[in-house]
Amino acid sequence: MNIQNKDLNLLLLFKVLFEELNVTVAAERMALSQPALSHKLNKLRHEFADPLFVRSNRGLTATPKAIRLAPHVLALASQLEAFYQDSQSLDFLKQQRRFYLYSTDYIESLLLPPLLQLLLEQAPAVQLITRNTMGLLPRQELERGECDLAIAGFYTDLPQTLYQQQLYQEDFVVLLRRQHPLAGAPLTLQSYCQAQHIVTTLTGDLDGIVDKELAKLGLKRHVCAGISSFMAPPALVLHNDVLLTCLRSVAETAVTQHAGLQLLPCPLTLKPVQISQIWHSRCQDDLLHQWLRRQIATLCANRYNRATTAAIS
């Protein structure tokens, strides 16, 4: 087939419509009026002999043919975008950009010190703005371009428009003060359940991973407080006879900072948490975005490897 009569710009239109599934947002992203976008959409439909995107209560819905075509069209459009980015020889590290990172205070405390140093040294025109993910996937913010990256360990059921990269995983331990009555002996499941607990809850729900696993065993613990932070609870543990079941790095940081704290193995079998970074498909081939994702992945891998080596030794 001769492509001379084909409008390759329609591939970009397909890509944007598939990613946004919203005519208004797609028109804004392509700097088109809605009538102009509708005209191009009609050409696109004629090109593929299918409606491709039809209106629904939430905006647009892709037809079965559009879903079949999507992987091929998205790949072609991304290759074209990458080609023109490379051909422009743009020094992307000199771009003036703002990156919005949604995460938690725990991730910020681990990641931001080395990441900010990298940005200041290699991409000084980039501004980094962090926001709390509040225990939820910021899906709308990612779709609207208000969030560039989301990093946490509780994102599930991602839509097709989002990418995910696992950064590292962490297991759970129990943090308590050295004066706690349970500090001098191995922690059993019975003594664990009989103790007072505090939890980190970003949504206000006190029924967390631990409680769901205990319920499977017909057991229950008593939670006396729920705190909307990962970094604040260790200070409460230092001055009260309570247990905090938390990620190992949180406990290790607390023990390093406070000699009056110690960590114990968790007597309950809990699945390790997978810490991942999430981004929208529109950012997949952006050179500066790719660079930032690589730096974050490298920093997390280096930290995890150091922690693993220290634990073994």
Side-chain angles (χ1 to χ4, degrees), residues 60-93:
L60 297 176
T61 299
T63 66
K65 184 170 185 178
I67 294 174
R68 291 197 305 272
L69 291 172
H72 307 288
V73 175
L74 294 181
L76 287 170
S78 296
Q79 290 171 10
L80 288 171
E81 290 175 343
F83 168 77
Y84 282 108
Q85 281 185 328
D86 292 341
S87 65
Q88 291 173 356
S89 299
L90 182 64
D91 189 352
F92 59 89
L93 290 179

Side-chain angles (χ1 to χ4, degrees), residues 20-308:
E20 303 296 351
L21 293 177
N22 184 292
V23 172
T24 302
V25 176
E28 291 176 354
R29 183 172 162 187
M30 297 188 69
L32 294 173
S33 66
Q34 290 198 31
L37 186 140
S38 296
H39 176 71
K40 287 182 174 291
L41 178 55
N42 287 332
K43 291 179 63 178
L44 180 66
R45 287 166 169 165
H46 177 75
E47 188 76 40
F48 290 100
D50 189 85
L52 298 177
F53 303 98
V54 296
R55 293 191 179 277
S56 67
N57 292 335
R58 295 186 175 182
L60 297 176
T61 299
T63 66
K65 184 170 185 178
I67 294 174
R68 291 197 305 272
L69 291 172
H72 307 288
V73 175
L74 294 181
L76 287 170
S78 296
Q79 290 171 10
L80 288 171
E81 290 175 343
F83 168 77
Y84 282 108
Q85 281 185 328
D86 292 341
S87 65
Q88 291 173 356
S89 299
L90 182 64
D91 189 352
F92 59 89
L93 290 179
K94 295 181 180 178
Q95 293 181 23
Q96 291 186 341
R97 295 269 292 275
R98 281 187 175 182
F99 270 89
Y100 291 90
L101 173 64
Y102 278 61
S103 189
T104 65
D105 60 344
Y106 155 67
I107 297 294
E108 288 180 0
S109 68
L110 297 181
L111 179 62
L112 259 57
L115 180 60
L116 185 57
Q117 181 180 354
L118 268 174
L119 291 175
L120 291 173
E121 293 175 352
Q122 301 185 38
V126 171
Q127 293 177 308
L128 183 64
I129 301 172
T130 65
R131 291 175 177 168
N132 198 302
T133 192
M134 302 304 292
L136 302 171
L137 173 69
R139 177 172 177 172
Q140 292 186 351
E141 289 82 358
L142 284 161
E143 292 174 345
R144 292 196 297 255
E146 298 170 1
C147 171
D148 295 290
L149 275 174
I151 302 178
F154 41 74
Y155 299 141
T156 58
D157 301 326
L158 300 181
Q160 291 183 341
T161 53
L162 298 184
Y163 286 83
Q164 176 177 215
Q165 180 187 16
Q166 181 179 320
L167 298 173
Y168 63 98
Q169 70 176 23
E170 284 206 58
D171 62 338
F172 287 92
V173 297
V174 177
L175 184 69
L176 70 167
R177 65 175 181 166
R178 295 188 181 276
Q179 291 79 21
H180 194 290
L182 299 178
L187 193 60
T188 66
L189 193 55
Q190 180 181 4
S191 61
Y192 178 84
C193 291
Q194 291 174 347
Q196 297 282 353
H197 296 256
I198 62 172
V199 300
T200 293
T201 171
L202 301 180
T203 62
D205 184 6
L206 298 181
D207 189 21
I209 296 173
V210 171
D211 304 281
K212 290 179 172 61
E213 291 302 318
L214 286 173
K216 293 178 182 178
L217 301 174
L219 299 173
K220 189 176 182 181
R221 64 173 178 169
H222 182 264
V223 176
C224 61
I227 314 300
S228 62
S229 166
F230 286 96
M231 305 310 296
L236 299 179
V237 175
L238 184 62
H239 300 287
N240 296 277
D241 287 336
V242 293
L243 304 182
L244 173 67
T245 305
C246 59
L247 297 180
R248 179 176 294 275
S249 62
V250 173
E252 290 177 343
T253 300
V255 169
T256 301
Q257 295 174 346
H258 304 287
L261 293 175
Q262 73 174 89
L263 65 86
L264 294 175
C266 183
L268 180 66
T269 301
L270 298 171
K271 185 178 179 180
V273 170
Q274 310 290 337
I275 308 297
S276 301
Q277 59 178 345
I278 313 294
W279 65 95
H280 194 273
S281 54
R282 75 162 64 85
C283 304
Q284 171 68 5
D285 300 304
D286 181 273
L287 295 180
L288 186 56
H289 204 285
Q290 288 179 343
W291 177 84
L292 184 65
R293 299 197 305 263
R294 286 196 302 271
Q295 306 313 308
I296 291 174
T298 300
L299 290 173
C300 289
N302 289 342
R303 189 195 181 285
Y304 179 74
N305 290 335
R306 287 197 302 271
T308 302

